[in-house]
Amino acid sequence: MSAAAPRALPGPVLVIGCGLIGTSIGLALRAHEVDVLLADAEPGNVEAAASRGAGRPATDHVEPYLVVAAVPPTAAADVVVQALRRWPAAYVTDVTSVKAGLQREIDAHPGAERFAGGHPMAGSERSGPMAGSAQLFEGRPWAVTPGSATLPEALDAVVDMALHVGAVPIILEAAAHDRAVALVSHVPQVMSTLTAARLNDAQGNHLALAGPGLRDTTRIAGSDSALWIDILGTNAADVRAVLELVRADLDRVIDALGQDDAVIGDVLESGRRGTEQIPGKHGSAPARVDIVHVQVADRPGELSRLMTDTGQSGVNIEDLRLDHDLGRPVGLAEIAVALGVGDSLVDALTARGWTAYR
């Protein structure tokens, strides 16, 4: 499903769980003036989320239009079932990253027709209500996984909420969703973690050689371990299936190192082709880009000045990343622009005093 202008979302929306995702949902909905109620097993989380403007503490006498169970996977079924029982007129969704098992549990209870599962493909290595952001879901996919008995009105309620927070709803069957996230989210988390774990054995000043590639590869390894134990355990079969394929590829590489460059080349080329399958911005087809490197002094206002100068050059930025050189008072910005315009951006920035190159 492609993004569209959201219809009016009746309130209130009750968010149960005021961590990163729940607080971010509240903040994004409040930006559209949707009435948001907040609940959490830890009163301090409600207080923190409310203080940030994510909504108001829930009260017993208010009947929600939509309930969002923003809780860990192992708690989701109980919270959803309780919500369906307590508010018989409300639609209910969740935000967990594994759907098939949850859907089977919900189907066994009355009110399952008012439930449509959800999973925002957005997050952060940070956690808790203070990490929440109204922009967390902007342009990101939001999987919506209705069950066989889900009412069209329940599906519409979840899709409308996703649109309100700036996400792109994508409707999937629950089992297909779980296979997809094993490939694009859960196994990458495992691979990042395994790579980062090897750094514990680094000797002497070896880590002084670390560059942006290592930081990119290991960034998500800093995520909440307890949450990932839940996720990997809940989606164990699909994750195992992908990891077994990765293990076979790894064995091929190990056996071929120093022995068969053709095999190594085949693995590397397969990986390069794989990166070309990742959708571009706004979910568009992958696009080839030019990368322009720019040295940025590590002082206030420099990055803003670079963005202004780039904009004045008439070149649209497709993507941007910033890395700092070890031991140098400068950073290195990598600006991705449309294929064929990189040289003109280099010329424009050089004329404005920047050190820029392809």
Side-chain angles (χ1 to χ4, degrees), residues 187 191 241-252:
V187 167
M191 302 306 293
V242 179
L243 283 176
E244 287 174 348
L245 296 175
V246 172
R247 179 171 62 186
D249 287 339
L250 184 58
D251 285 341
R252 287 180 65 208

Side-chain angles (χ1 to χ4, degrees), residues 131-170:
S133 168
Q135 289 75 44
L136 184 65
F137 311 109
E138 289 285 346
R140 303 305 304 272
W142 191 299
V144 184
T145 58
S148 59
T150 299
L151 292 169
E153 297 84 357
L155 175 60
D156 288 345
V158 179
V159 168
D160 288 344
M161 182 194 68
L163 290 171
H164 268 77
V165 302
V168 181
I170 299 175

Side-chain angles (χ1 to χ4, degrees), residues 43-305:
N45 287 343
V46 173
E47 182 178 348
S51 72
R52 301 210 43 222
R56 57 191 175 95
T59 56
D60 291 337
H61 67 277
V62 177
E63 293 291 322
Y65 164 75
L66 175 66
V67 179
V68 182
V71 297
T74 53
D78 286 343
V79 172
V80 169
V81 168
Q82 290 172 14
L84 291 170
R85 183 183 301 124
R86 182 173 180 182
W87 296 289
Y91 303 118
V92 181
T93 188
D94 74 307
V95 299
T96 58
S97 62
V98 185
K99 314 311 297 184
L102 174 63
Q103 187 65 56
R104 286 192 295 270
E105 291 191 58
I106 302 307
D107 284 342
H109 292 273
E113 69 278 3
R114 292 182 284 113
F115 172 75
H119 176 209
M121 297 300 294
S124 167
E125 62 274 17
R126 300 172 62 211
S127 60
M130 302 311 292
S133 168
Q135 289 75 44
L136 184 65
F137 311 109
E138 289 285 346
R140 303 305 304 272
W142 191 299
V144 184
T145 58
S148 59
T150 299
L151 292 169
E153 297 84 357
L155 175 60
D156 288 345
V158 179
V159 168
D160 288 344
M161 182 194 68
L163 290 171
H164 268 77
V165 302
V168 181
I170 299 175
I171 299 175
L172 291 169
E173 187 268 338
H177 164 276
D178 292 354
R179 292 192 297 271
V181 292
L183 177 66
V184 305
S185 176
H186 301 170
V187 167
Q189 176 69 42
V190 173
M191 302 306 293
S192 175
T193 298
L194 291 175
T195 301
R198 301 285 10 112
L199 303 181
N200 294 312
D201 298 327
Q203 300 176 9
N205 63 348
H206 289 188
L207 292 181
L209 301 180
L214 180 64
R215 283 187 282 275
D216 286 348
T217 303
T218 59
R219 179 185 59 81
I220 58 175
S223 300
D224 181 16
S225 297
L227 175 62
W228 275 101
I229 289 172
D230 278 354
I231 292 171
L232 295 174
T234 308
N235 204 27
D238 288 319
V239 172
R240 184 181 296 112
V242 179
L243 283 176
E244 287 174 348
L245 296 175
V246 172
R247 179 171 62 186
D249 287 339
L250 184 58
D251 285 341
R252 287 180 65 208
V253 171
I254 291 172
D255 292 342
L257 282 172
Q259 304 293 327
D260 192 336
D261 287 349
V263 170
I264 299 298
D266 179 63
V267 171
L268 293 173
E269 179 61 19
S270 179
R272 188 193 63 77
R273 292 196 306 270
T275 64
E276 295 177 349
Q277 307 309 309
I278 301 172
K281 67 179 184 179
H282 311 309
S284 62
R288 295 178 62 193
V289 296
D290 286 343
I291 301 295
V292 174
H293 304 271
V294 187
Q295 289 189 7
V296 183
D298 190 9
R299 58 176 179 260
E302 286 299 281
L303 187 58
S304 176
R305 186 169 69 88

